[in-house]
Amino acid sequence: MSDFKTSVPLRDLNLDEYTLENGNHLFVIADGRVANLVYANGNPADVMDMSFSVMAFGVEYLVKNNGKLENHMLNVPLELDHQVVRLKLGALGITFDKQTGEQKNYTKQFFTHE
């Protein structure tokens, strides 16, 4: 992938932009490592806003599903995490492609929402 790298860093030290042969741009956060550990640099406001957004959407989910959920610790539904990411990226003017089937299968190993 380094053959396509056109600029580093972009915006700060943890975001790299690659321009692909077809002209599309690929943004890689934290060299592809665990972004919340590398990118946050001490929980700055731009990361905390996403955490608070997930919490707010989680409360809305609880209210909408009142009486339908089991009485124990619940994971935030993955769809809410995805909604926050879409909103944040949209606010930054960043768009992204949909995952391929192979990419979806790969990422499933990291999520154990039951």
Side-chain angles (χ1 to χ4, degrees):
M1 203 157 91
S2 62
D3 295 342
F4 300 109
K5 190 179 248 184
T6 58
S7 64
V8 57
L10 181 72
R11 297 193 187 130
D12 68 56
L13 298 177
N14 292 314
L15 183 62
D16 296 320
E17 178 183 9
Y18 297 83
T19 302
L20 304 179
E21 290 176 351
N22 65 5
N24 287 343
H25 298 274
L26 176 68
F27 296 92
V28 178
I29 298 173
D31 293 323
R33 297 186 305 251
V34 180
N36 65 331
L37 298 178
V38 176
Y39 189 72
N41 295 324
N43 293 325
D46 60 337
V47 174
M48 292 176 67
D49 70 342
M50 293 177 61
S51 297
F52 295 146
S53 296
V54 170
M55 289 179 218
F57 282 121
V59 170
E60 179 185 41
Y61 176 80
L62 290 174
V63 170
K64 286 182 176 179
N65 290 284
N66 185 29
K68 301 176 191 170
L69 302 171
E70 296 181 30
N71 187 16
H72 63 83
M73 176 105 89
L74 301 170
N75 290 316
V76 172
L78 191 55
E79 304 83 45
L80 298 183
D81 280 332
H82 290 173
Q83 183 176 2
V84 169
V85 170
R86 283 190 302 272
L87 289 169
K88 179 67 174 188
L89 291 175
L92 296 172
I94 298 172
T95 60
F96 54 95
D97 297 329
K98 293 191 183 279
Q99 288 182 315
T100 65
E102 183 180 350
Q103 290 168 326
K104 285 180 183 178
N105 288 334
Y106 174 77
T107 58
K108 281 181 187 177
Q109 68 182 314
F110 301 105
F111 299 101
T112 56
H113 287 12
E114 297 174 1

